[in-house]
Amino acid sequence: MTRVLLCDDQELLRTGFRLILDLEPDIDVVGEAADGKQCLRMVAQERPDVVLMDVRMPEMDGIEAARRLCEASSATRVLMLTTFDLDEYVYDAMRAGASGFLLKDAPREQLVNAVRVIARGESLLAPTVTRRLVERFVALPPPGSGVPATLASLSDRECEVLRLIARGMSNAEIADALTLGEATVKTHVGRLLAKLGLRDRVQAVVLAYESGFVQPGVDPG
């Protein structure tokens, strides 16, 4: 059973999300919050698997709440929700530690699938969106700063996998590109995330570009 917390300052929207998710036998909505501060308190109490988090809220916005959850090493994963399809929100959410991004007017099936994908520990961001965001917003390291020591600890194969993750590729796509079994790729992904101290693939994408390991405008493959 996937435990979900709804965080949005509009009660009608929270009610709509609850009605949709309550119909799913494998999803349990464990609570609702109207702002980021209330969300943090409820996460500590309810320990949900996934938070559906609005971007714009009073008291504390969703990006700051997501950042604090990540800093606290919470196991809860964040799916950002917004009515604004603006790149800067998506990139800020990625840097804050969100595992995915979804517009509030997405079809019912897409919302339910997004919750399941995030709960499995996967990320929800299309490769084309990833590349566009990185091209526009990535903060490059100073010239001559070199690759961080944590990245230098990766094996050659893990480096290959990270470059393909930076392209937004799924495990299945990486397995096909490297002629490996999908289970093997999953093992490599888990190991590189552990070595880098990252919670999921979205953070790996941000680190790969912001460290200079992968260069914007250059095919990471």
Side-chain angles (χ1 to χ4, degrees):
M1 183 68 71
T2 298
R3 295 167 57 81
V4 177
L5 175 67
L6 307 176
C7 184
D8 195 296
D9 61 335
Q10 298 183 51
E11 184 178 359
L12 284 177
L13 283 175
R14 296 199 309 268
T15 300
F17 293 144
R18 179 183 281 273
L19 288 173
I20 291 171
L21 297 176
D22 276 344
L23 292 174
E24 303 302 317
D26 59 331
I27 296 176
D28 180 23
V29 178
V30 297
E32 300 179 21
D35 60 62
K37 288 184 177 179
Q38 186 179 9
C39 174
L40 294 178
R41 290 194 298 269
M42 294 193 69
V43 166
Q45 295 169 1
E46 301 293 342
R47 300 189 182 281
D49 301 300
V50 177
V51 174
L52 296 189
M53 184 89 78
D54 187 20
V55 169
R56 291 184 169 182
M57 295 182 292
E59 298 296 329
M60 181 189 295
D61 65 30
I63 292 173
E64 178 61 22
R67 182 176 294 111
R68 295 195 185 190
L69 283 176
C70 187
E71 289 174 350
S73 299
S74 171
T76 299
R77 298 184 179 275
V78 177
L79 175 61
M80 300 300 300
L81 293 163
T82 186
T83 53
F84 305 96
D85 187 14
L86 299 178
D87 286 350
E88 56 264 37
Y89 289 134
V90 184
Y91 195 70
D92 284 347
M94 287 172 64
R95 297 195 71 202
S99 297
F101 190 91
L102 196 66
L103 293 178
K104 290 182 179 179
D105 61 358
R108 172 187 174 280
E109 295 78 10
Q110 192 173 342
L111 172 63
V112 172
N113 179 65
V115 168
R116 290 178 176 143
V117 168
I118 298 300
R120 289 198 302 266
E122 300 175 24
S123 56
L124 192 74
L125 202 62
T128 53
V129 174
T130 301
R131 293 298 296 275
R132 186 182 75 230
L133 293 173
V134 167
E135 293 290 334
R136 290 187 58 188
F137 297 104
V138 68
L140 294 175
S145 58
V147 176
T150 50
L151 282 169
S153 71
L154 299 182
S155 69
D156 290 343
R157 180 63 84 185
E158 288 163 351
C159 287
E160 288 181 305
V161 171
L162 179 57
R163 289 189 179 94
L164 296 181
I165 289 175
R167 293 179 60 183
M169 295 175 69
S170 67
N171 284 353
E173 291 168 334
I174 293 173
D176 185 61
L178 298 180
T179 319
L180 297 172
E182 193 169 342
T184 301
V185 171
K186 186 175 181 180
T187 298
H188 286 310
V189 172
R191 286 177 179 168
L192 73 87
L193 291 178
K195 285 183 179 181
L196 300 176
L198 304 176
R199 57 190 283 134
D200 59 30
R201 305 164 77 96
V202 172
Q203 285 193 313
V205 171
V206 174
L207 177 63
Y209 283 98
E210 292 197 343
S211 67
F213 181 75
V214 172
Q215 296 291 326
V218 178
D219 189 345

